[in-house]
Amino acid sequence: MAESELSSLDASVGLTAESLSPGRLAYRRFLTHKAAVVSVFVLALLVLWVLLSPWTARYGVNEQVFDISKGPNQNLPPADFAWFGTDIIGRDVYSRVLYGVRVSLIIGLASAVFSLALGSLIGAVAGLKGGLFDDIVMRVTDVFLAFPFLVALLVVRNMFGAVGWITVIVGQPSSIRFMVFLFAVFGWMGVARVLRAQVLSLKEREFIEAARALGASNARIIIRHLLPNSIGPMLVSLSLGVVGAIVSEATLSLFGYGPDPGTGATSLGLLVAGSKSAVRAGYWWLALYPFAALLVITLCVSFIGDGLRDAFDPKHGGGR
Amino acid sequence: MSADQLLQVSSLVKEFKVKTVTGIRSVDQTVHAVSGVSFGVGSGETLGLVGESGSGKSTIGRCVLRLIEPTSGTVRFRGRDLVGMRKEELRALRREMQIVFQDPYASLDPRLTVGSAISEPLDIHRTPGDHGAKVAELLELVGLSPDHASRFPHEFSGGQRQRIGIARALALRPKFLVLDEPVSALDVSIQAGVINLLQDLQNEMGLSYLFIAHDLSVVRHISDRIAVMYLGKIVEVAPSEELHAVPAHPYTEALLSAVPEPDPVVERQRHRMILTGDVPSPINPPSGCRFRTRCPKAAEICAAEEPVLTTISEGHEVACHFPDSTPVSLRGTRS
Amino acid sequence: MLRYALRRAVWLLPTLILVTFLVYVALRLGTDPLASYRRTNIRVSKKKVDEYIAANGLYSGAFGYVRGYFQWLWGFITLDWPRSIKGSREVWPHLKDALANSIRLGLVASMVGILVGNAFGVLAALRPGRLRDTLVNSGALVGLAVPPFVSALLLQLLFAVYWQKWFGYALFPVSGVYPPGHQGFDLFLMIKHMALPVVVVAIQSIAVYSRYMRASLLDVLNSEYMRTARSKGISERRVLVHHALRNALIPVTTLAFLDVGAVVGGLIITEGLFEYPGMGRFFLVAYGNGDFPELMPWMVVIIGSVVTFNLLADIAYAKLDPRIRLG
Ligand SMILES: Nc1ncnc2c1ncn2[C@@H]1O[C@H](COP(=O)(O)OP(=O)(O)OP(=O)(O)O)[C@@H](O)[C@H]1O
Ligand code: SF4
Ligand SMILES: [Mg+2]
């Protein structure tokens, strides 16, 4: 280490050999959260399995497992030719769960990404600028978040569905694109509030004022300082958003407001909805496997979110 | 005195509107953080600004850089008023005036490497040339190694961070720096190193400083002149030596008493004045002289009439109805 | 305090009017009440349609919406409510029953949630980092991650369908408040019908409260002032009951009031799946039918209670916490 003539005794103390960025430190802390690490692996495996559905699925999404002529094939319990049994018209539940998870993951990820982008931007601007814009954002989100979620979702769904130009852009209310749009319209609010709170606390820190003194514009402050320092809350919001959208899709499907089953594709929500009557008839496999897939996703993402929270905010560490 | 000043602050006022609750009522109240402050800083000069916590020093520093909008008054830099200046003009001016903050832990973005932090001003102002080389140069200038550029703030000690903050402030080669208690958060053993660095930089680069501190010992040697603040007002300004030799305002005298003398004999013999009581709230400052609630010399006139800054000798101004012009060394143990 | 409450209460009315107006617009756009009316009453005469329009103020155009809203509002206030979409049924008696059923279910579920959840939270906070803390913590995470419809359907599968298969009778019924055809009041039957729905709603509340109580109690226990109290030699139990719990309850109480919206939300799904004739089911059926005359009063009840409980939460918070600034 080159000693310059000005250096005093404090100029070179306390440096470790290895340089660790705050991100790497958070990553290390994340690794100590065992449940979260296991969840990452389980989820990765599931995603891989689903991505490889051309090879991992055994039948097509609408394919009936065997010919009706060779005997009834409806509502059969799990067996060799159909690991998870068959549904009411003789389709393989295992393959359908794979296809369903794929659609649900797409809905979940897409909605969460849009919500995150929109919410971070709105939240950061509201927190940084304050004033009227901030007031409006806060009031709007207050009203929506206080409402029972399903009611707000249903009412807004139909309202947007009735507006011509919206359906031109995002499709009919029963399309996947519309679902993503709808969940993003709701999802940004939670993100915006989290980001706003984060920005309000960061704003008090002197490094933001320092950047301003250097002549940085608001845009630069948001992009270069506020957002990078909000990675933790943003990742947690993202994970919550994925689960939220997947569960919302399932809830909507359950009450008949989900994607259109006529297209042949299915989703976790549609499978779950189909299980409603199957449960009463005692066909447990029609409920259990879709539920299991859903729970694997929601549980893993919850634990990952918990791990992220601890990793980025070590002060508020929970239990392991 | 004011014609050739680099920075000239006149009648600066900053009030904050706050909501407070007394009993069941919430009231809109005004914090009088800075109430009509005027001073100038000449080229190559260091003006020390001293006062207790809450007296409005940082507020002045922030107004000078227009990080917050003054309620009224003017801040002229090279004769041009910053208040009401357009954004682009202000940005251009930011090349020439910079600030170093009190808290070295809060003033660096934890997610930026030291190199990016120091080159941020270069990026913002699109300075031509090799930024990497400039960063290395700046790091050496403040006594750090160029290898430190790739490291993160949490890997450094407080003193090192303060050096990084200084390097960042110097990146644009400014002419004027606000130093907002640059060493208060540091260990006493490290303070001297940073102050020496600041002094060397000043000599090398011809900088002017507004050096903020809360006790006189820190600013004594580095300042050419010192302004003493109490509750949003300047109560005394004088050249550094003069202020120490002949503190005319009772508050200055009290501040001086708080500075320990290195020589035990002098320490035992000297006249001391200890302040009692709390600083009044800047929401309801006392009438007349704001110091009267704690002043041993307070008389009726002090409550009725506000003392104005008056020149008592060359470059020595004081705002007190009963200024004391005897040197401290001759003051007995009265009062 | 009183002034603060009053000042907040003054805002209640404008908020209600604004929000109901927005909901009015959203419902009229989204459910198309006229088309729904024609769909429900096929081959209805032109005269009947005009009557329905007049009764509900379903005028078209931007001005028609505003006029329609105020007509609806006036009718609502003067208790001159239009009849439901089928034309014959009065809305209020039906809504009243639904409300009573939901309040019963919601109250019981909330009580269970609050009691059990807070107890778990306290247990966890007293031994942070130990086994029971970990259990409560992960249990809560799991509870929050399980969507209510999953627990509802699994419980049905187990306690109704398979119980029937294995033991010849269903332990708990899966729908309604009483068996079909039942007349009069019967506490035992009612409890039996409520058991599963209560569990479903309570799972979520327990998870929320235990996490919240744990965090809030830990905050207090780690505070400077608790350390002082301990150092003064006050007994651990006294410290806990007199200081820690009392302070920890402040945010929890606020949550209890704020939670009303969430409870109603959970109720909608649960009631839908258990065919429980409460507010949730009322909404789902009315919404499915596009039953405008039933939907608006329902919305007023929901919005009114959410807004009121928000206000109560703020007041409770202010009253319990002496440090709070009433801004
Ligand atoms: N944003 C603000 N809103 C309200 N009041 C403020 C704000 N900033 C400062 N104040 C008040 O203005 C007064 C002066 O504050 P200032 O930070 O300038 O003091 P200071 O002399 O720098 O003190 P310190 O030595 O503690 O840094 C204080 O009473 C402070 O509470
Ligand atoms: S004016 Fe009066 S009160 Fe103020 S400092 Fe002078 S003597 Fe003291
Ligand atoms: Mg300060």
Side-chain angles (χ1 to χ4, degrees):
Chain A
M1 201 172 290
E3 287 288 334
S4 83
E5 52 183 26
L6 277 171
S7 81
S8 70
L9 85 165
D10 88 301
S12 57
V13 293
L15 284 186
T16 48
E18 191 186 4
S19 177
L20 286 175
S21 71
R24 277 201 79 78
L25 286 174
Y27 172 69
R28 290 204 168 170
R29 278 194 297 268
F30 183 81
L31 290 186
T32 63
H33 194 299
K34 289 186 210 79
V37 176
V38 171
S39 297
V40 168
F41 276 104
V42 172
L43 201 60
L45 208 66
L46 181 78
V47 169
L48 196 68
W49 202 254
V50 166
L51 282 182
L52 296 178
S53 57
W55 297 280
T56 49
R58 304 175 76 197
Y59 305 94
V61 66
N62 267 332
E63 190 181 341
Q64 299 191 326
V65 173
F66 23 82
D67 246 330
I68 305 259
S69 58
K70 289 185 187 139
N73 64 346
Q74 298 101 331
N75 295 326
L76 296 178
D80 265 354
F81 64 90
W83 293 331
F84 294 177
T86 64
D87 71 0
I88 190 154
I89 53 173
R91 294 173 298 193
D92 176 34
V93 174
Y94 162 74
S95 308
R96 283 178 67 75
V97 166
L98 281 194
Y99 295 118
V101 168
R102 191 168 65 175
V103 170
S104 284
L105 280 177
I106 290 172
I107 293 181
L109 267 177
S111 325
V113 167
F114 281 123
S115 305
L116 184 68
L118 201 62
S120 322
L121 196 68
I122 294 179
V125 173
L128 191 64
K129 296 213 72 153
L132 186 64
F133 180 72
D134 185 33
D135 284 344
I136 292 175
V137 170
M138 290 309 284
R139 289 296 86 75
V140 168
T141 52
D142 266 350
V143 169
F144 271 92
L145 296 176
F147 240 81
F149 185 64
L150 184 59
V151 175
L153 205 57
L154 284 181
V155 170
V156 171
R157 169 191 188 269
N158 282 12
M159 188 183 77
F160 282 147
V163 181
W165 59 266
I166 291 182
T167 51
V168 169
I169 300 172
V170 297
Q172 290 304 310
S174 57
S175 71
I176 303 276
R177 249 191 318 158
F178 188 91
M179 294 263 133
V180 170
F181 164 72
L182 183 63
F183 298 151
V185 162
F186 278 90
W188 70 264
M189 294 190 248
V191 184
R193 292 179 75 104
V194 170
L195 251 284
R196 176 181 176 273
Q198 175 82 6
V199 165
L200 282 183
S201 83
L202 286 174
K203 208 165 79 166
E204 299 294 310
R205 306 265 295 274
E206 281 172 347
F207 68 82
I208 301 295
E209 210 165 26
R212 218 179 271 296
L214 295 170
S217 59
N218 274 340
R220 186 183 173 95
I221 288 177
I222 289 180
I223 292 168
R224 193 125 166 103
H225 299 284
L226 294 179
L227 292 184
N229 277 288
S230 311
I231 295 260
M234 281 165 80
L235 283 176
V236 174
S237 296
L238 186 75
S239 66
L240 289 178
V242 172
V243 167
I246 291 178
V247 171
S248 300
E249 188 267 336
T251 312
L252 284 186
S253 301
L254 207 55
F255 297 109
Y257 298 95
D260 185 3
T263 56
T266 190
S267 70
L268 265 185
L270 292 172
L271 293 171
V272 168
S275 73
K276 200 165 49 163
S277 48
V279 160
R280 304 243 168 132
Y283 305 139
W284 57 267
W285 56 94
L286 285 179
L288 214 56
Y289 294 109
F291 284 1
L294 184 67
L295 286 184
V296 166
I297 298 174
T298 57
L299 281 175
C300 286
V301 177
S302 297
F303 280 119
I304 293 172
D306 201 45
L308 287 173
R309 206 170 331 198
D310 287 359
F312 282 97
D313 193 2
K315 289 185 296 294
H316 295 90
R320 287 290 113 89
Chain B
M1 159 168 116
S2 71
D4 57 339
Q5 298 288 30
L6 185 64
L7 178 82
Q8 183 63 50
V9 173
S10 314
S11 326
L12 183 71
V13 175
K14 178 65 193 180
E15 293 168 355
F16 295 102
K17 297 268 177 277
V18 290
K19 268 205 169 84
T20 40
V21 178
T22 41
I24 56 164
R25 288 177 310 138
S26 107
V27 203
D28 287 315
Q29 286 181 309
T30 309
V31 178
H32 302 272
V34 177
S35 312
V37 161
S38 307
F39 61 86
V41 181
S43 196
E45 188 192 28
T46 299
L47 175 68
L49 188 60
V50 178
E52 276 167 298
S53 184
S55 55
K57 306 176 304 280
S58 299
T59 306
I60 290 182
R62 292 188 159 104
C63 284
V64 162
L65 283 153
R66 232 189 105 191
L67 292 172
I68 53 177
E69 295 295 323
T71 309
S72 67
T74 58
V75 177
R76 286 178 192 282
F77 187 77
R78 293 192 197 283
R80 298 195 309 157
D81 192 356
L82 264 75
V83 181
M85 199 177 253
R86 279 177 304 122
K87 260 190 180 167
E88 308 84 74
E89 273 183 284
L90 195 62
R91 185 164 304 175
L93 217 74
R94 295 255 149 96
R95 293 163 157 277
E96 303 202 54
M97 48 201 311
Q98 277 302 317
I99 181 165
V100 175
F101 289 96
Q102 177 169 0
D103 181 355
Y105 292 88
S107 59
L108 295 173
D109 186 338
R111 297 209 154 255
L112 288 189
T113 59
V114 167
S116 338
I118 297 177
S119 69
E120 178 159 36
L122 303 172
D123 299 340
I124 292 174
H125 292 273
R126 305 224 171 74
T127 315
D130 179 3
H131 290 185
K134 286 213 171 115
V135 168
E137 206 179 293
L138 283 161
L139 278 170
E140 282 196 8
L141 188 65
V142 297
L144 294 171
S145 145
D147 327 334
H148 290 165
S150 61
R151 294 179 175 267
F152 287 90
H154 69 258
E155 300 176 73
F156 294 88
S157 68
Q160 290 171 321
R161 289 186 199 205
Q162 205 55 296
R163 287 163 191 268
I164 297 166
I166 294 170
R168 175 178 61 187
L170 290 178
L172 295 169
R173 307 249 145 207
K175 282 280 157 257
F176 171 70
L177 280 190
V178 172
L179 304 164
D180 189 355
E181 308 203 25
V183 295
S184 306
L186 306 180
D187 270 4
V188 182
S189 58
I190 296 171
Q191 289 187 353
V194 174
I195 293 199
N196 290 341
L197 168 67
L198 288 168
Q199 236 157 359
D200 292 340
L201 290 170
Q202 180 167 40
N203 295 339
E204 239 167 88
M205 304 169 70
L207 291 164
S208 308
Y209 290 153
L210 175 62
F211 194 115
I212 298 174
H214 60 247
D215 68 80
L216 277 166
S217 63
V218 174
V219 285
R220 172 165 196 168
H221 298 291
I222 196 169
S223 306
D224 300 307
R225 290 185 303 132
I226 295 176
V228 178
M229 272 193 90
Y230 186 79
L231 219 57
K233 286 189 180 278
I234 289 183
V235 294
E236 184 166 12
V237 198
S240 188
E241 286 318 315
E242 161 104 5
L243 189 91
H244 281 80
V246 194
H249 197 280
Y251 179 61
T252 314
E253 199 181 341
L255 281 183
L256 273 177
S257 305
V259 178
E261 273 295 331
D263 182 347
V265 181
V266 181
E267 169 76 19
R268 234 174 294 123
Q269 288 174 343
R270 77 186 173 134
H271 161 70
R272 300 198 63 158
M273 189 178 120
I274 311 295
L275 278 186
T276 51
D278 289 330
V279 188
S281 151
I283 292 173
N284 294 309
S287 66
C289 174
R290 292 189 173 183
F291 185 55
R292 71 176 160 84
T293 53
R294 300 166 78 194
C295 179
K297 292 203 260 174
E300 254 165 59
I301 185 176
C302 304
E305 227 174 276
E306 189 184 331
V308 288
L309 269 181
T310 351
T311 308
I312 54 165
S313 63
E314 169 78 37
H316 190 162
E317 292 173 83
V318 60
C320 174
H321 292 303
F322 309 106
D324 192 343
S325 45
T326 17
V328 245
S329 46
L330 301 180
R331 288 180 198 174
T333 25
R334 331 150 285 196
S335 77
Chain C
M1 173 49 83
L2 192 66
R3 258 178 84 145
Y4 168 71
L6 279 179
R7 204 174 52 221
R8 286 288 312 267
V10 168
W11 279 104
L12 220 64
L13 210 61
T15 314
L16 267 177
I17 291 183
L18 184 69
V19 177
T20 47
F21 177 71
L22 294 178
V23 166
Y24 175 90
V25 173
L27 279 180
R28 279 202 54 188
L29 278 174
T31 58
D32 197 346
L34 264 191
S36 309
Y37 184 70
R38 292 212 181 82
R39 192 164 5 94
T40 325
N41 308 279
I42 319 160
R43 283 195 295 275
V44 69
S45 68
K46 170 94 175 53
K47 190 167 150 280
K48 282 268 183 189
V49 174
D50 286 342
E51 274 176 28
Y52 190 71
I53 294 180
N56 289 286
L58 300 172
Y59 316 112
S60 50
F63 177 68
Y65 272 60
V66 176
R67 184 176 150 214
Y69 171 74
F70 283 106
Q71 184 186 324
W72 166 83
L73 186 64
W74 182 245
F76 182 83
I77 296 170
T78 55
L79 297 181
D80 179 19
W81 297 9
R83 287 169 179 249
S84 85
I85 198 166
K86 290 268 171 46
S88 56
R89 197 167 62 174
E90 286 212 40
V91 174
W92 172 242
H94 186 37
L95 186 67
K96 190 186 64 189
D97 288 347
L99 193 57
N101 283 335
S102 276
I103 289 179
R104 190 161 358 97
L105 179 58
L107 265 183
V108 175
S110 298
M111 292 312 278
V112 173
I114 289 173
L115 289 177
V116 180
N118 284 336
F120 280 171
V122 172
L123 282 180
L126 290 184
R127 297 276 178 278
R130 302 284 282 279
L131 179 68
R132 69 186 192 205
D133 183 29
T134 314
L135 281 182
V136 167
N137 228 344
S138 344
L141 263 185
V142 173
L144 282 178
V146 176
F149 57 82
V150 170
S151 46
L153 290 171
L154 286 180
L155 287 173
Q156 289 187 3
L157 192 65
L158 190 64
F159 288 109
V161 180
Y162 274 84
W163 207 273
Q164 175 90 42
K165 258 195 187 159
W166 296 330
F167 305 106
Y169 67 99
L171 190 59
F172 294 111
V174 296
S175 65
V177 179
Y178 289 123
H182 178 89
Q183 296 283 320
F185 177 80
D186 183 332
L187 188 64
F188 178 71
L189 270 181
M190 198 192 247
I191 291 176
K192 237 175 121 163
H193 277 77
M194 260 170 53
L196 293 186
V198 162
V199 170
V200 171
V201 179
I203 287 179
Q204 307 263 319
S205 311
I206 291 174
V208 171
Y209 281 105
S210 61
R211 272 174 81 90
Y212 214 75
M213 186 63 182
R214 174 182 176 275
S216 129
L217 190 54
L218 275 180
D219 256 8
V220 179
L221 286 176
N222 292 335
S223 67
E224 200 57 49
Y225 124 90
M226 282 304 296
R227 240 170 275 143
T228 322
R230 281 207 195 94
S231 67
K232 279 191 187 149
I234 304 172
S235 83
E236 194 65 15
R237 158 170 246 120
R238 210 184 140 75
V239 166
L240 188 74
V241 174
H242 280 250
H243 303 277
L245 272 181
R246 200 198 266 157
N247 278 308
L249 273 174
I250 294 169
V252 173
T253 310
T254 315
L255 179 70
F257 284 118
L258 284 178
D259 203 34
V260 171
V263 169
V264 177
L267 282 179
I268 293 176
I269 296 169
T270 315
E271 290 181 0
L273 291 177
F274 285 97
E275 284 160 32
Y276 185 92
M279 293 294 276
R281 200 168 146 71
F282 183 103
F283 169 78
L284 285 172
V285 173
Y287 196 69
N289 292 336
D291 197 337
F292 194 74
E294 287 203 327
L295 284 172
M296 278 311 288
W298 186 90
M299 286 289 182
V300 174
V301 173
I302 297 297
I303 298 166
S305 53
V306 165
V307 175
T308 313
F309 278 97
N310 262 315
L311 172 66
L312 290 180
D314 285 356
I315 293 178
Y317 195 64
K319 189 143 187 85
L320 288 172
D321 191 342
R323 290 162 304 180
I324 192 75
R325 299 174 141 214
L326 307 178

